[in-house]
Amino acid sequence: MMEKPFDPAAFVEGAAPLLKIALTPESRAGAILHLTIAAEQADLLMSADLGDEDEPAPVFRP
Amino acid sequence: MTPLLDRPAHAIATAVRDGVASAVEVTRAALGRIEARDGAYGAFTDVVAERALGKAAAVDAARARGERMGPLAGAPFAVKNLFDVKGLPTRAGSKINRELTPAAADATLVARLEHAGAVLVGALNMGEYAYDFTGQNAHDGPSRNPHALAHMTGGSSGGSGAAVSGGLVPIALGSDTNGSIRVPSAFCGVFGLKPTYGRLSRARTFPFVASLDHVGPFARSVADLALAYDAMIGRDEDDPAQADVAPIPAALGLEDGIAGLRIARLGGYFARSGELCAFEAVDRVAAALKVGRTVDLPDAARARAAAYLITMIEGAALHLERLQTRVEDFDPDVRDRLIAGAMLPGAWLVQAQKFRRFFRAQALALFDDVDILLAPATPCRAPKLGQNTFTLDGKEQLVRPNIGVFTQPLSFIGLPVVAVPVWTDGEALPMGVQIVAPPWREDLALRVARVLERTGVVAAPVAHFA
């Protein structure tokens, strides 16, 4: 099955009501731009070879 | 004769201790200089003249009684306006927070510097909620680079960089989540210390990204950085993020030199994606230290990506309610990154924190074989105010998110860094170099910075005021 390309505009439009954030034309455009940059960064991060047993950095100490 | 205010804090303190000048005279001079110059610099958002003169009078009275004087006796300082200052709302660069109830007590670090005899004169301009590398602020106006007023100070501790390089105060405090001490230090030509994550108390400072927030000093002399650092170290039960690791004071061994220290420059990621001047500055520092070795810190680009995403997600979580109820009151440049950050998948945050632990292990392994690493602080000199894009690697990129390409991977794992200013003949603006030490070894980075300062390779002159 072909992977569907990411549509940042649709994502922002759909997520804003979930987060109860009101968008304006200006903030919508800015959020789309920054979501696109974040997705590029995430492509790099998510390709890191980490396993199930790798612990996250902060360890809670009771 | 050099005006006392142009001299380092330790020289001011000596003059006050020796009775050559009174703390009240020094404070009046600082307040006068702020009045005369800050219209051009935009460094201060609040001046606490009455408090400062009261504290200075107390310093003078203590001297008259023959009491022991602190190492910073009578030296003026100021703090980024995310530090609580009793009686002021902690605005953190925002419009929204200035409606808060005034702080009931000072931040721990403010109290500790005053305990060492320093005199708080005010609070400093910053990028909104510290989500900024430029020093511009939609509500308070930009801080301006005292060495070239049409240029950025860098941020988010822009007022801190401007106040110190402009000679308004010899010491300032700032915060650094991704580079916000090191970038303005580099752009404004002053020294800055970002200590190890968990070293200095963040109590009563307004947060940004709990996983990555650090606080630390700016100064025009390495000795002042060391004295300020020593005055601020120590356990603080009010900061749950502080590490229970015994601090090593830095001032006592500051002149010990670098004999025996293994120093290398960082290659790979840290040797590309910048203008030539960024790497030439590292060349000059490396040559002065007789460093011929280059080492690689693998996966730095991924570390930067992880820091970038943790910042977006944690920053957005901190501000979500304000985004829901006061979105129109944010600086638009900050608002849109926070809105996008609120929408990012949780799996990215967990992966970033897992990668953080992995990357930390990589860096610690490198420090088995080396004591100090050198890297550029920024990819370019201070851009012009209002400049939105620059060219990196032949590609036009946004200024705001990309100034921190070299600082972000290092603060991501909390390494202590001293930023030192390097000047080139014919250039009005300096470049910064990062001196990076293993965790908890601020003293080593400061020793290296002091050697460079002593040999004249790095310097932080007060900007000429026209």
Side-chain angles (χ1 to χ4, degrees), chain A residues 8-23:
Chain A
F11 189 94
V12 166
E13 208 56 49
L18 172 69
L19 294 160
K20 300 182 174 59
I21 294 172
L23 296 172

PDB file of all heavy atoms in Angstrom, chain A residues 8-23:
ATOM      1  N   PRO A   8       0.463  18.785   6.209  1.00  0.00           N
ATOM      2  CA  PRO A   8       0.525  19.594   7.443  1.00  0.00           C
ATOM      3  C   PRO A   8      -0.680  20.522   7.619  1.00  0.00           C
ATOM      4  O   PRO A   8      -1.127  20.750   8.749  1.00  0.00           O
ATOM      5  CB  PRO A   8       1.834  20.372   7.311  1.00  0.00           C
ATOM      6  CG  PRO A   8       2.252  20.264   5.896  1.00  0.00           C
ATOM      7  CD  PRO A   8       1.606  19.047   5.323  1.00  0.00           C
ATOM      8  N   ALA A   9      -1.196  21.047   6.520  1.00  0.00           N
ATOM      9  CA  ALA A   9      -2.333  21.968   6.633  1.00  0.00           C
ATOM     10  C   ALA A   9      -3.550  21.242   7.198  1.00  0.00           C
ATOM     11  O   ALA A   9      -4.245  21.750   8.097  1.00  0.00           O
ATOM     12  CB  ALA A   9      -2.655  22.569   5.263  1.00  0.00           C
ATOM     13  N   ALA A  10      -3.782  20.032   6.701  1.00  0.00           N
ATOM     14  CA  ALA A  10      -4.930  19.263   7.201  1.00  0.00           C
ATOM     15  C   ALA A  10      -4.711  18.867   8.657  1.00  0.00           C
ATOM     16  O   ALA A  10      -5.640  18.889   9.475  1.00  0.00           O
ATOM     17  CB  ALA A  10      -5.123  18.018   6.332  1.00  0.00           C
ATOM     18  N   PHE A  11      -3.467  18.551   8.988  1.00  0.00           N
ATOM     19  CA  PHE A  11      -3.153  18.152  10.368  1.00  0.00           C
ATOM     20  C   PHE A  11      -3.420  19.311  11.329  1.00  0.00           C
ATOM     21  O   PHE A  11      -4.069  19.146  12.371  1.00  0.00           O
ATOM     22  CB  PHE A  11      -1.683  17.707  10.444  1.00  0.00           C
ATOM     23  CG  PHE A  11      -1.287  17.072  11.743  1.00  0.00           C
ATOM     24  CD1 PHE A  11      -1.321  15.690  11.899  1.00  0.00           C
ATOM     25  CD2 PHE A  11      -0.864  17.845  12.818  1.00  0.00           C
ATOM     26  CE1 PHE A  11      -0.951  15.092  13.105  1.00  0.00           C
ATOM     27  CE2 PHE A  11      -0.497  17.265  14.027  1.00  0.00           C
ATOM     28  CZ  PHE A  11      -0.541  15.886  14.164  1.00  0.00           C
ATOM     29  N   VAL A  12      -2.928  20.494  10.968  1.00  0.00           N
ATOM     30  CA  VAL A  12      -3.127  21.683  11.826  1.00  0.00           C
ATOM     31  C   VAL A  12      -4.620  21.968  11.961  1.00  0.00           C
ATOM     32  O   VAL A  12      -5.125  22.224  13.063  1.00  0.00           O
ATOM     33  CB  VAL A  12      -2.375  22.903  11.236  1.00  0.00           C
ATOM     34  CG1 VAL A  12      -2.842  24.204  11.895  1.00  0.00           C
ATOM     35  CG2 VAL A  12      -0.872  22.734  11.406  1.00  0.00           C
ATOM     36  N   GLU A  13      -5.327  21.896  10.861  1.00  0.00           N
ATOM     37  CA  GLU A  13      -6.776  22.183  10.869  1.00  0.00           C
ATOM     38  C   GLU A  13      -7.516  21.196  11.781  1.00  0.00           C
ATOM     39  O   GLU A  13      -8.431  21.568  12.518  1.00  0.00           O
ATOM     40  CB  GLU A  13      -7.303  22.082   9.431  1.00  0.00           C
ATOM     41  CG  GLU A  13      -8.503  22.931   9.136  1.00  0.00           C
ATOM     42  CD  GLU A  13      -8.282  24.405   9.431  1.00  0.00           C
ATOM     43  OE1 GLU A  13      -7.264  24.960   9.007  1.00  0.00           O
ATOM     44  OE2 GLU A  13      -9.142  24.995  10.116  1.00  0.00           O
ATOM     45  N   GLY A  14      -7.084  19.928  11.718  1.00  0.00           N
ATOM     46  CA  GLY A  14      -7.758  18.911  12.510  1.00  0.00           C
ATOM     47  C   GLY A  14      -7.377  18.935  13.981  1.00  0.00           C
ATOM     48  O   GLY A  14      -8.210  18.658  14.854  1.00  0.00           O
ATOM     49  N   ALA A  15      -6.123  19.264  14.280  1.00  0.00           N
ATOM     50  CA  ALA A  15      -5.653  19.196  15.674  1.00  0.00           C
ATOM     51  C   ALA A  15      -6.074  20.418  16.492  1.00  0.00           C
ATOM     52  O   ALA A  15      -6.230  20.321  17.715  1.00  0.00           O
ATOM     53  CB  ALA A  15      -4.132  19.054  15.706  1.00  0.00           C
ATOM     54  N   ALA A  16      -6.245  21.561  15.841  1.00  0.00           N
ATOM     55  CA  ALA A  16      -6.539  22.786  16.591  1.00  0.00           C
ATOM     56  C   ALA A  16      -7.797  22.654  17.458  1.00  0.00           C
ATOM     57  O   ALA A  16      -7.773  23.027  18.642  1.00  0.00           O
ATOM     58  CB  ALA A  16      -6.634  23.981  15.645  1.00  0.00           C
ATOM     59  N   PRO A  17      -8.910  22.088  16.944  1.00  0.00           N
ATOM     60  CA  PRO A  17     -10.088  21.930  17.816  1.00  0.00           C
ATOM     61  C   PRO A  17      -9.830  20.976  18.980  1.00  0.00           C
ATOM     62  O   PRO A  17     -10.316  21.205  20.093  1.00  0.00           O
ATOM     63  CB  PRO A  17     -11.161  21.367  16.879  1.00  0.00           C
ATOM     64  CG  PRO A  17     -10.697  21.674  15.500  1.00  0.00           C
ATOM     65  CD  PRO A  17      -9.214  21.704  15.555  1.00  0.00           C
ATOM     66  N   LEU A  18      -9.055  19.915  18.737  1.00  0.00           N
ATOM     67  CA  LEU A  18      -8.725  18.987  19.822  1.00  0.00           C
ATOM     68  C   LEU A  18      -8.015  19.725  20.956  1.00  0.00           C
ATOM     69  O   LEU A  18      -8.254  19.469  22.129  1.00  0.00           O
ATOM     70  CB  LEU A  18      -7.818  17.869  19.272  1.00  0.00           C
ATOM     71  CG  LEU A  18      -7.223  16.912  20.307  1.00  0.00           C
ATOM     72  CD1 LEU A  18      -8.309  16.032  20.907  1.00  0.00           C
ATOM     73  CD2 LEU A  18      -6.138  16.048  19.676  1.00  0.00           C
ATOM     74  N   LEU A  19      -7.146  20.656  20.575  1.00  0.00           N
ATOM     75  CA  LEU A  19      -6.349  21.404  21.568  1.00  0.00           C
ATOM     76  C   LEU A  19      -7.065  22.666  22.040  1.00  0.00           C
ATOM     77  O   LEU A  19      -6.533  23.404  22.873  1.00  0.00           O
ATOM     78  CB  LEU A  19      -4.992  21.763  20.959  1.00  0.00           C
ATOM     79  CG  LEU A  19      -4.101  20.550  20.671  1.00  0.00           C
ATOM     80  CD1 LEU A  19      -3.019  20.899  19.663  1.00  0.00           C
ATOM     81  CD2 LEU A  19      -3.479  20.030  21.959  1.00  0.00           C
ATOM     82  N   LYS A  20      -8.229  22.931  21.459  1.00  0.00           N
ATOM     83  CA  LYS A  20      -9.008  24.136  21.800  1.00  0.00           C
ATOM     84  C   LYS A  20      -8.217  25.419  21.534  1.00  0.00           C
ATOM     85  O   LYS A  20      -8.212  26.358  22.335  1.00  0.00           O
ATOM     86  CB  LYS A  20      -9.493  24.075  23.254  1.00  0.00           C
ATOM     87  CG  LYS A  20     -10.385  22.862  23.550  1.00  0.00           C
ATOM     88  CD  LYS A  20     -10.870  22.874  24.988  1.00  0.00           C
ATOM     89  CE  LYS A  20     -11.865  21.777  25.278  1.00  0.00           C
ATOM     90  NZ  LYS A  20     -11.369  20.396  25.029  1.00  0.00           N
ATOM     91  N   ILE A  21      -7.495  25.408  20.436  1.00  0.00           N
ATOM     92  CA  ILE A  21      -6.741  26.596  20.030  1.00  0.00           C
ATOM     93  C   ILE A  21      -7.434  27.199  18.808  1.00  0.00           C
ATOM     94  O   ILE A  21      -7.676  26.500  17.822  1.00  0.00           O
ATOM     95  CB  ILE A  21      -5.279  26.240  19.683  1.00  0.00           C
ATOM     96  CG1 ILE A  21      -4.540  25.757  20.931  1.00  0.00           C
ATOM     97  CG2 ILE A  21      -4.557  27.447  19.090  1.00  0.00           C
ATOM     98  CD1 ILE A  21      -3.151  25.204  20.652  1.00  0.00           C
ATOM     99  N   ALA A  22      -7.748  28.488  18.894  1.00  0.00           N
ATOM    100  CA  ALA A  22      -8.393  29.171  17.774  1.00  0.00           C
ATOM    101  C   ALA A  22      -7.331  29.673  16.802  1.00  0.00           C
ATOM    102  O   ALA A  22      -6.405  30.380  17.211  1.00  0.00           O
ATOM    103  CB  ALA A  22      -9.224  30.337  18.293  1.00  0.00           C
ATOM    104  N   LEU A  23      -7.454  29.291  15.549  1.00  0.00           N
ATOM    105  CA  LEU A  23      -6.471  29.709  14.548  1.00  0.00           C
ATOM    106  C   LEU A  23      -6.952  30.941  13.805  1.00  0.00           C
ATOM    107  O   LEU A  23      -8.160  31.117  13.584  1.00  0.00           O
ATOM    108  CB  LEU A  23      -6.236  28.574  13.537  1.00  0.00           C
ATOM    109  CG  LEU A  23      -5.625  27.288  14.085  1.00  0.00           C
ATOM    110  CD1 LEU A  23      -5.649  26.205  12.996  1.00  0.00           C
ATOM    111  CD2 LEU A  23      -4.208  27.531  14.565  1.00  0.00           C
TER     112      LEU A  23
END
